């Protein structure tokens, strides 16, 4: 008992020195929903999406620990749906993204790709992740190179890395991708998908408790962490110990499983009720606490990830 320290007396820190951070876009349900909103059902997925794990290089310096407040960003936004000239101001469409991240273990030498047969040896463990997003800033800036300032103002992770050994009992059966079948370097001979229940709750300033708005599961990922890592390194890009790779928003097939407010409010056309509090949201308000939790449920035991939480602070006046 003398070796135990009360949690209230402990200050948590980032679990690793994060040299590089990459975020993927690997939930087919999420990509289909967002694509349908902006391009229509027939063109929801871009031609490359089913052939490779789409990703972008994020900002490692703004990855922060659970409990760190997140400042509403300012930037260029279009003042109306028909506008073609931007204005400068505070983000009006701030969102959360329910994700998981994994930390690289040993890594590979420069110029030497990680192959599928030993990719699992380079994945140390997983955390919860909130890839905060400024949807209106993103809409204006993302063509042609993808997200930039809309994503770089903050990414929150939970403090505990849950090792892949601890998650091994929760691996799911392999569901081979056949339409289309991936190129040979991305083919998996066994499963690397996991049954991890995930939740996002919001508590406004006038609410007494957080209310769950998303109930999803890591099993809804189309591209696995192993496939993400292999694709990232296939060019010979060297991955280093402590590098963080994000899954992308994790959405299921049902509305309550959608992993962000953009999907839940369907681009602002629906209201999202915060339980029985009487409050509604389309996007996040100043003062909102966003709390993500997750666990894998075993027979008589549970492997938890702790919390991934942050409060939205008002934008700076610039």
């Amino acid at each position: 008992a003398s070796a135990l320290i009360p949690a209230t007396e402990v200050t948590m820190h980032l679990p690793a020195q994060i040299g590089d951070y990459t975020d993927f876009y690997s939930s087919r349900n999420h990509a289909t929903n967002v694509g349908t909103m902006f391009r229509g059902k027939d063109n929801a997925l871009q031609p490359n999406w089913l052939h490779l794990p789409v990703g972008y290089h994020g900002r490692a310096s703004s990855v922060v620990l659970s409990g760190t407040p997140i400042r509403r960003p300012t930037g260029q936004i279009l003042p109306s749906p028909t506008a073609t000239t931007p204005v400068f101001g505070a983000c009006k469409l701030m969102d959360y993204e329910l994700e998981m991240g994994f930390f690289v273990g040993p890594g590979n030498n420069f110029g030497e790709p990680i192959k599928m047969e030993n990719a699992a040896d380079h994945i140390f463990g997983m955390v919860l992740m909130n890839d905060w997003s400024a949807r209106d800033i993103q809409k204006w800036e993302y063509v042609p190179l993808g997200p930039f300032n809309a994503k770089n103002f903050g990414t929150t992770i939970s403090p505990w890395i849950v090792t892949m050994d601890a998650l091994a009992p929760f691996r799911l059966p392999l569901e081979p991708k056949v339409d289309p079948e991936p190129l040979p370097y991305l083919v998996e001979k066994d499963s690397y998908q996991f049954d991890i229940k995930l939740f996002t709750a919001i508590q406004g300033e006038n609410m007494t408790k957080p209310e769950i708005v998303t109930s999803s599961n890591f099993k809804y990922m189309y591209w696995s962490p192993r496939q993400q890592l292999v694709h990232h390194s296939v060019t010979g890009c060297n991955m280093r110990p402590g590098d963080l790779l994000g899954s992308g928003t994790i959405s299921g097939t049902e509305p309550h499983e959608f992993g962000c407010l953009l999907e839940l409010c369907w681009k602002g056309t629906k209201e999202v009720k915060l339980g029985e509090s009487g409050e509604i949201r389309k996007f996040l308000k100043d003062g909102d606490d966003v709390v993500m939790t997750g666990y894998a449920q075993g027979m008589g035991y549970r492997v938890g990830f702790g919390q991934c939480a942050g409060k939205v602070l008002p934008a700076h006046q610039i």
Side-chain angles (χ1 to χ4, degrees), residues 23-82:
D23 194 33
F24 286 91
Y25 186 53
S26 292
S27 163
R28 184 171 184 172
N29 296 319
H30 172 68
T32 299
N33 287 340
V34 174
T36 299
M37 288 180 217
F38 290 97
R39 293 186 299 275
K41 185 177 180 180
D42 293 338
N43 298 300
L45 292 180
Q46 298 285 12
N48 62 355
W49 201 93
L50 293 172
H51 294 273
L52 58 83
V54 173
Y56 70 94
H57 292 286
R59 184 73 185 173
S61 65
S62 54
V63 177
V64 298
L65 189 69
S66 177
T68 304
I70 301 295
R71 181 76 59 180
R72 182 180 295 273
T74 54
Q76 293 190 24
I77 58 177
L78 294 174
S80 71
T82 58

Side-chain angles (χ1 to χ4, degrees), residues 25-200:
Y25 186 53
S26 292
S27 163
R28 184 171 184 172
N29 296 319
H30 172 68
T32 299
N33 287 340
V34 174
T36 299
M37 288 180 217
F38 290 97
R39 293 186 299 275
K41 185 177 180 180
D42 293 338
N43 298 300
L45 292 180
Q46 298 285 12
N48 62 355
W49 201 93
L50 293 172
H51 294 273
L52 58 83
V54 173
Y56 70 94
H57 292 286
R59 184 73 185 173
S61 65
S62 54
V63 177
V64 298
L65 189 69
S66 177
T68 304
I70 301 295
R71 181 76 59 180
R72 182 180 295 273
T74 54
Q76 293 190 24
I77 58 177
L78 294 174
S80 71
T82 58
T84 57
T85 302
V87 298
F88 182 84
C91 164
K92 294 180 173 61
L93 308 181
M94 189 168 169
D95 203 354
Y96 68 83
E97 289 190 340
L98 174 60
E99 303 193 19
M100 297 196 73
F102 70 85
F103 279 91
V104 174
N108 55 309
N109 294 325
F110 178 70
E112 299 180 7
I114 296 172
K115 296 182 180 180
M116 187 61 72
E117 55 263 32
N118 59 16
D121 296 336
H122 295 273
I123 301 175
F124 177 64
M126 303 190 72
V127 294
L128 303 175
M129 193 171 100
N130 182 356
D131 185 33
W132 303 86
S133 299
R135 300 299 185 189
D136 41 3
I137 294 175
Q138 183 176 358
K139 181 181 179 181
W140 171 242
E141 75 175 5
Y142 85 100
V143 177
L145 292 180
F148 184 43
N149 284 346
K151 298 282 192 175
N152 70 6
F153 61 94
T155 300
T156 304
I157 63 172
S158 55
W160 301 101
I161 300 178
V162 178
T163 65
M164 304 315 293
D165 286 341
L167 294 173
F170 308 102
R171 286 174 69 162
L172 297 167
L174 179 66
E175 296 184 9
K177 301 172 178 63
V178 295
D179 187 21
E181 184 177 353
L183 291 172
Y185 78 99
L186 286 173
V187 172
E188 294 181 298
K189 294 182 179 179
D190 58 356
S191 171
Y192 209 71
Q193 301 285 25
F194 299 85
D195 182 7
I196 304 171
K197 296 175 173 59
L198 301 168
F199 306 92
T200 303

Side-chain angles (χ1 to χ4, degrees), residues 27-31 33-34 37 96-99 195-200 212-221 248-266 270 272 292:
S27 163
R28 184 171 184 172
N29 296 319
H30 172 68
N33 287 340
V34 174
M37 288 180 217
Y96 68 83
E97 289 190 340
L98 174 60
E99 303 193 19
D195 182 7
I196 304 171
K197 296 175 173 59
L198 301 168
F199 306 92
T200 303
I212 293 175
V213 290
T214 295
S215 301
S216 191
N217 195 301
F218 189 69
K219 69 182 181 182
Y220 293 128
M221 299 303 298
T249 306
I250 304 166
S251 294
T253 56
E254 300 300 320
H256 72 274
E257 298 172 320
F258 293 171
C260 62
L261 285 171
L262 176 66
E263 291 175 271
L264 289 169
C265 78
W266 205 257
K270 301 178 181 179
V272 180
M292 295 178 176

